[in-house]
Amino acid sequence: MTEQYDILIVGGGNAGVSLAAALRRKRQGRVGIADGQQLHRYRPMLNYAAGGQADMARFERPMRAVIPDGVEWIPDHVVAVDAEERTAVTTTGLTVGFRHLVLCPGLTPWWGAIDGLREAYAAGWAASAHVPEHVDAARALLSRVAAGDRVVANVPAEPSSCGGTVLKALFLACAAWEREGILPDVDVHLVTPYGRILDRQTIDPALAEAVARYGIHVHSGAEVNAVDHEAREVVLNTGERITDVAAAYITPVVRAPEFIAEAGLADDGEAGLAAADPATLRHPVH
């Protein structure tokens, strides 16, 4: 059986939900959102939760509760698209037809890009609120840091989901350690792929002040290549090794869901992002 939509939106995050509401207000026909997540998280609060300044449960809703009136929710993930036939297939085998397709499924962790990271997450030695299901683990990781510990955090390289916002959790944690009186005895390291902290002229001076205030050692122009939770070591692509690490606030490299590349809709980048005209956001072929 094939369901038919005028507009099918793949992804029920803030982008997909907001767009669906706008389309319904403009009466753009039958609109569907395909997303298998049962819980909607307000992602801007994730780093505040990890930094101990928010209860993430307050910013979570059942997915059904945030789907706009008049928009149909398909509670399943899209796993294949046929752009020529204008159909999508979900994990349960449902075929969905569409006149127009909007891709905003978000980015997914590319665990294989950093050796040992998935195992480090499972061991509780590494975590990041940018992997939403690990937000509680990230909060626990930062809150148990003690005097004498070494902490490593990273700014993920692009593409990323607001990668620079990891600094929120790091700065909030530093402020907490300062209040506890242990900050001078915590060795904090920040790994960033940029020449400066974020390479943003409007904000880097303020970030540099915060980094100096908290005594954070910055590893510029570097990325995390591998981690070893048993050896308590973080390895950078520069060859540098940060040893005796008590807590690794490491955000994984991310990529687009694989169905985008499999459908021939991706650009030439390694992350498999959907190709788009930068002026119109339309796919250059379809």
Side-chain angles (χ1 to χ4, degrees), residues 142-218:
L142 295 174
S143 66
R144 65 171 177 258
V145 168
D149 282 349
R150 177 168 292 144
V151 178
V152 178
N154 74 316
V155 175
E158 294 298 323
S160 67
S161 297
C162 301
T165 61
V166 300
L167 296 173
K168 295 180 182 180
L170 180 62
F171 290 165
L172 286 169
C174 286
W177 301 329
E178 187 176 51
R179 290 192 298 272
E180 295 169 18
I182 65 169
L183 181 62
D185 299 312
V186 178
D187 184 21
V188 185
H189 293 250
L190 175 66
V191 180
T192 174
Y194 306 111
R196 294 183 296 174
I197 298 170
L198 294 182
D199 271 354
R200 295 291 183 267
Q201 185 174 355
T202 55
I203 195 172
D204 270 321
L207 294 176
E209 289 180 9
V211 163
R213 171 185 170 182
Y214 294 130
I216 298 172
H217 180 79
V218 179

Side-chain angles (χ1 to χ4, degrees), residues 41-127:
R41 294 181 175 91
Y42 184 63
R43 292 182 66 94
M45 295 305 297
L46 287 169
N47 279 295
Y48 291 100
Q53 296 299 305
D55 179 2
M56 198 60 212
R58 292 183 55 202
F59 304 97
E60 297 172 340
R61 300 288 186 275
M63 183 65 77
R64 187 176 297 279
V66 302
I67 300 296
D69 291 341
V71 174
E72 299 179 41
W73 175 38
I74 304 162
D76 207 355
H77 291 300
V78 167
V79 294
V81 168
D82 187 324
E84 296 292 344
E85 295 296 325
R86 300 195 181 206
T87 58
V89 179
T90 71
T91 50
T92 58
L94 175 68
T95 299
V96 183
F98 55 82
R99 287 179 57 234
H100 302 285
L101 178 68
V102 180
L103 294 173
C104 49
L107 297 164
T108 59
W110 190 356
W111 292 108
I114 298 178
D115 290 343
L117 187 59
R118 191 159 211 167
E119 295 78 5
Y121 267 60
W125 176 80

